[in-house]
Amino acid sequence: MRELATENMNGASSSPTPPPPQALLERLKDYGQEDAFAFWDQLSADQQNFLIQEIESLDLPRIDRMIHCSLQSHGLPTAAIEPVPEGCVSTVDDRKLEDRERWWNMGLKAISDGKLAVLLLSGGQGTRLGSSDPKGCFNIGLPSGKSLFQLQAERIICLQRLATQSINEGSGNIVPIHWYIMTSPFTDETTRTFFEYHKYFGLKSDQVTFFSQGTIPCVSKDGRFIMESPCKVAKAPDGNGGVYSALKHSGLLEDMSMRGVKYLDCYGVDNALVRVGDPTFLGYFIDKGVASAAKVVRKAYPQEKVGVFVRRGKGGPVTVVEYSELDQSLASEINQGTGRLRYCWSNVCLHMFTLDFLNQVANGLEKDSIYHLAEKKIPSIHGQTLGYKLEQFIFDAFPYAPSTALFEVLREEEFAPVKNANGSNFDTPDSARLLVLRLHTRWVVAAGGFLTHSVPLYSTGVEVSPLVSYAGENLEAICRGRTFHAPCEITF
């Protein structure tokens, strides 16, 4: 007797579809996720195999714990907060010249001893900038046309040279600063190709290590997996806080230890003024003897959309509260003694950690199953489905730290975010470019140089190559008595 034919998704006739593996289906039922096999009968054999591999690759017990803990804690009131104590913050006003010089030299010594590595968080695409490429590939329109990646690579090169010159009049071999770059499944291949094409911007290829952050299934409001297609679970990167587990599972914490690394400078890719591996910050960090530290800028106004550092609970740990979680009455509170905002220290993703602390936090955060829930429209088989992406943030590490110090920097010197397309009101490539040009113009004038310009100076300036100067130092020989026509790039 001839069996009836069934049609698969592609309309092709086939023999009856075998059922999904019983053991796997039972496992999904245990966690209320059996709907992942809802379209099984419509899949081709290849699609069925893909779906089986997809489900088998998921750590279902851990993901189930994450989903339930995160959903249960979502929207619950958080512990009361207090302003960060004054003693935890090194402010620009209170910083003495001799301290800055001492920290700078301490930092350079640690770098020359090979104790510093830098960690770049570069998992995001430039979607809001109108590009599907990794954000680091973006050219903000400087006279040099350099990408964010190139600016950062050249600052590392300059820093290596400064560290070498700080010992034995620079007669020693240059100690490379290792650069760990966290990508995501959406940016990894493009990032690697970009670096290879540009010959690592002058760095040695073996001092750059790429690794990818993880992904987590997107879930509906009731905690069920959202299906991107009948055979594929919708997933999203696990947030920049995924860096900790990614470092652990890729073996890179051991790699750092083998290289003699003691301190890790961690930053986000989309800051055009980032001082990668800043010796002054490193020296301060070592001097304070803390496990973690962060550069902060003063919040510009109460409604500014930035997270702020706070103390959680009476005498509790220093951590970050996102602007969306900070009550507006607290955001507007004034410190009567200073006349400034009580909650004023903005988080700008410029952090320093000891390697020992990173090992501790990688284990701690993995056991902590509470993730931030980002409500998003998720592409799915039903169109755009409103659901949750589960994320950890880089600042989730701070509550684990036995000691944290904050280091104030000036916004106009170290923070030029590139987040929105030109034409937006803030944090655009144009605004970041102007911040770079204005800072570098001040450097050149301070070094005795002069500027001419055919457009108003407020809309132009000069760019100093990072290969020439890291933070405005050593420019007198190049600039004194010379006139530069803006806009231009100053190189050797």
Side-chain angles (χ1 to χ4, degrees), residues 420-467:
N420 303 308
N422 286 328
S424 302
N425 293 328
F426 54 88
D427 297 349
T428 65
D430 281 349
S431 65
R433 183 184 72 255
L434 284 175
L435 284 166
V436 173
L437 294 177
R438 288 170 185 167
L439 175 63
H440 291 190
T441 296
R442 293 196 295 274
W443 290 355
V444 169
V445 172
F450 302 93
L451 258 69
T452 59
H453 46 95
S454 51
V455 295
L457 190 56
Y458 66 77
S459 63
T460 189
V462 293
E463 174 190 2
V464 176
S465 168
L467 297 173

Side-chain angles (χ1 to χ4, degrees), residues 9-252:
M9 284 186 65
N10 302 315
S13 292
S14 65
S15 57
T17 303
Q22 189 62 30
L24 191 56
L25 183 58
E26 291 300 324
R27 284 186 67 211
L28 283 174
K29 285 180 179 178
D30 288 343
Y31 300 108
Q33 302 292 358
E34 63 273 16
D35 286 354
F37 281 141
F39 295 91
W40 179 264
D41 291 342
Q42 301 174 33
L43 302 179
S44 67
D46 285 346
Q47 289 170 329
Q48 289 172 350
N49 287 331
F50 182 89
L51 179 57
I52 290 170
Q53 291 173 18
E54 176 97 339
I55 300 300
E56 286 179 337
S57 71
L58 299 176
D59 185 346
L60 289 173
R62 177 168 176 258
I63 292 170
D64 181 70
R65 191 169 64 248
M66 287 162 43
I67 292 169
H68 281 92
C69 290
S70 303
L71 286 172
Q72 286 171 8
S73 66
H74 188 57
L76 292 179
T78 53
I81 60 172
E82 297 179 347
V84 174
E86 296 287 329
C88 289
V89 188
S90 168
T91 64
V92 172
D93 292 343
D94 294 338
R95 217 168 284 152
K96 298 174 183 174
L97 177 61
E98 54 264 35
D99 285 334
R100 293 203 307 270
E101 291 177 345
R102 181 168 58 88
W103 291 333
W104 173 267
N105 291 325
M106 284 177 68
L108 287 179
K109 175 66 166 63
I111 292 168
S112 68
D113 290 340
K115 293 180 179 177
L116 177 75
V118 292
L119 171 60
L120 168 59
L121 307 175
S122 182
Q125 296 167 289
T127 310
R128 281 191 284 169
L129 299 170
S131 169
S132 60
D133 286 336
K135 281 187 183 178
C137 300
F138 204 79
N139 165 13
I140 64 171
L142 290 168
S144 65
K146 291 173 182 174
S147 64
L148 293 169
F149 281 142
Q150 182 167 358
L151 294 173
Q152 293 161 23
E154 291 183 353
R155 284 174 193 143
I156 291 173
I157 292 170
C158 184
L159 195 52
Q160 292 174 164
R161 187 175 69 244
L162 288 170
T164 302
Q165 291 169 351
S166 71
I167 53 170
N168 305 323
E169 283 84 44
S171 59
N173 294 324
I174 285 182
V175 176
I177 297 170
H178 205 86
W179 197 9
Y180 296 89
I181 299 177
M182 185 178 80
T183 63
S184 72
F186 309 104
T187 63
D188 187 75
E189 184 178 351
T190 310
T191 301
R192 292 171 187 262
T193 302
F194 194 75
F195 271 75
E196 289 167 5
Y197 179 79
H198 291 281
K199 296 181 170 54
Y200 294 84
F201 309 104
L203 293 166
K204 295 178 179 177
S205 60
D206 62 1
Q207 74 181 99
V208 181
T209 298
F210 302 98
F211 66 103
S212 182
Q213 69 187 105
T215 59
I216 299 176
C218 302
V219 298
S220 60
K221 296 293 184 74
D222 60 359
R224 293 179 180 271
F225 293 161
I226 293 174
M227 299 300 292
E228 181 180 316
S229 74
C231 63
K232 186 175 184 182
V233 178
K235 300 192 195 79
D238 53 7
N240 58 20
V243 66
Y244 304 112
S245 59
L247 284 172
K248 176 184 175 182
H249 292 297
S250 60
L252 292 180

